[in-house]
Amino acid sequence: MKERLFILSQHLIPHHLLSRLIGCAAQCRAAWFKNRLIGWFAKQYQVDMSEAQVEDLNAYEHFNAFFTRALKEGARPLDNTPGAVLCPADGAISQLGRIEHGRVFQAKGHSYSVTELLGGDSERAAPFMGGDFATVYLSPKDYHRVHMPLAGTLREMIYVPGRLFSVNQTTAENVPELFARNERVVCLFDTERGPMAVVLVGAMIVASIETVWAGLITPPKRELKTVRYDEAARGPVNLEKGAELGRFKLGSTAIVLFGPEQVKWADELGANSPVRMGQLLGQ
């Protein structure tokens, strides 16, 4: 009954209004407010501040600065195995495996369309049919910057409007096509292993998603928006393996897609495996 009520509330809550209000609070610079909020959050979620460049909780100008904090140099060493595909973020594997019949496995009894995930364009999705996916869930205590699994050249970025359901095991098991319904930013790269998609998926109280090349990506109008990055448009954006790609201001999920026969996920990884940015995700 408790689970059913939670899922029902997810459908009734005004997702965007609540998320934007919390986003405003997360930008508040009043010391009395932001220090209490940051202190409470760090204690509640047992955030390890020994890894942060700035360990003093009161030194952050607002909650978002704390939430997207940088880590000390060397805190996330990059796996140097030849041909390594790196994990893009701290968190836990939600699912990983093969894209079958054009669908990505979400949880028991649920999957979603890769075409819908990438914004509804079948030509954009075609290179990933029969390929492989990995879904990484970022919990509140995690480092919330997302990094490049491989070196790549940005080809296209697509903002896809949608809902902002909470992302956790309960919603994954009970909200059909969760990741293809939530607001998201799709980043398409050309890499040495062909096309690679990194999808940053928003969630309840995620105030915004940012990328290093475009900054804040929540348009004033929630409409599908595609931006090309080629010689004829804005010029290429090249990012090295392990370089920062973007960040969540309050976090959610990163999904990585490759084409057929381009990557083999690490044997020891499966659903609920804890992961850290920079570790070996596959080869």
Side-chain angles (χ1 to χ4, degrees), residues 43-57:
K43 182 178 180 180
Q44 177 73 16
Y45 293 103
Q46 300 180 328
V47 177
D48 182 3
M49 293 302 294
S50 67
E51 298 180 321
Q53 277 186 6
V54 178
E55 296 186 36
D56 181 5
L57 293 174

Side-chain angles (χ1 to χ4, degrees), residues 214-232:
L216 184 65
I217 309 293
T218 306
K221 294 183 179 180
R222 292 198 294 274
E223 298 175 348
L224 185 73
K225 182 179 180 181
T226 301
V227 181
R228 291 196 60 82
Y229 291 84
D230 54 25
E231 296 292 354

Side-chain angles (χ1 to χ4, degrees), residues 32-271:
W32 68 270
F33 178 80
K34 60 96 174 174
N35 289 347
R36 286 188 177 184
L37 178 59
I38 292 171
W40 171 84
F41 188 95
K43 182 178 180 180
Q44 177 73 16
Y45 293 103
Q46 300 180 328
V47 177
D48 182 3
M49 293 302 294
S50 67
E51 298 180 321
Q53 277 186 6
V54 178
E55 296 186 36
D56 181 5
L57 293 174
N58 293 338
Y60 291 94
E61 61 178 334
H62 46 59
F63 181 84
N64 272 339
F66 154 74
F67 196 80
T68 59
R69 62 196 174 275
L71 300 183
K72 293 174 181 174
E73 186 174 352
R76 294 293 181 274
L78 306 182
D79 189 281
N80 59 8
T81 303
V85 175
L86 304 181
C87 184
D90 283 11
I93 297 294
S94 176
Q95 299 291 339
L96 81 174
R98 184 66 52 85
I99 299 169
E100 297 181 338
H101 309 295
R103 300 189 68 81
V104 178
F105 181 63
Q106 176 174 301
K108 185 177 181 180
H110 293 288
S111 64
Y112 55 91
S113 162
V114 68
T115 300
E116 291 305 313
L117 176 70
L118 300 182
D121 187 325
S122 59
E123 290 187 13
R124 183 183 296 134
F128 301 103
M129 296 300 176
D132 294 273
F133 77 94
T135 304
V136 180
Y137 166 69
L138 291 74
S139 74
K141 71 177 181 179
D142 290 322
Y143 168 62
H144 273 80
R145 300 190 184 190
V146 180
H147 294 249
M148 292 288 286
L150 284 178
T153 299
L154 181 66
R155 183 203 321 156
E156 194 174 25
M157 179 181 72
I158 307 97
Y159 164 76
V160 187
R163 300 295 300 276
L164 287 173
F165 290 104
S166 293
V167 174
N168 51 45
Q169 190 63 30
T170 300
T171 51
E173 292 176 353
N174 290 277
V175 178
E177 305 209 2
L178 174 65
F179 299 115
R181 294 174 71 178
N182 270 13
E183 182 176 81
R184 55 204 178 276
V185 174
V186 178
C187 308
L188 297 177
F189 296 90
D190 292 318
T191 77
E192 62 182 11
R193 303 311 305 172
M196 174 183 75
V198 180
V199 184
L200 308 180
V201 184
M204 186 79 74
I205 75 173
V206 176
S208 59
I209 296 170
E210 294 185 3
T211 66
V212 297
W213 58 84
L216 184 65
I217 309 293
T218 306
K221 294 183 179 180
R222 292 198 294 274
E223 298 175 348
L224 185 73
K225 182 179 180 181
T226 301
V227 181
R228 291 196 60 82
Y229 291 84
D230 54 25
E231 296 292 354
R234 287 164 171 75
V237 174
N238 300 305
L239 295 174
E240 295 299 316
K241 181 190 291 189
E244 184 183 345
L245 180 161
R247 60 186 70 173
F248 291 107
K249 290 185 175 178
L250 299 184
S252 178
T253 301
I255 302 172
V256 181
L257 308 178
F258 284 99
E261 308 301 327
Q262 297 302 317
V263 63
K264 180 182 184 299
W265 303 126
D267 291 335
E268 65 271 20
L269 295 180

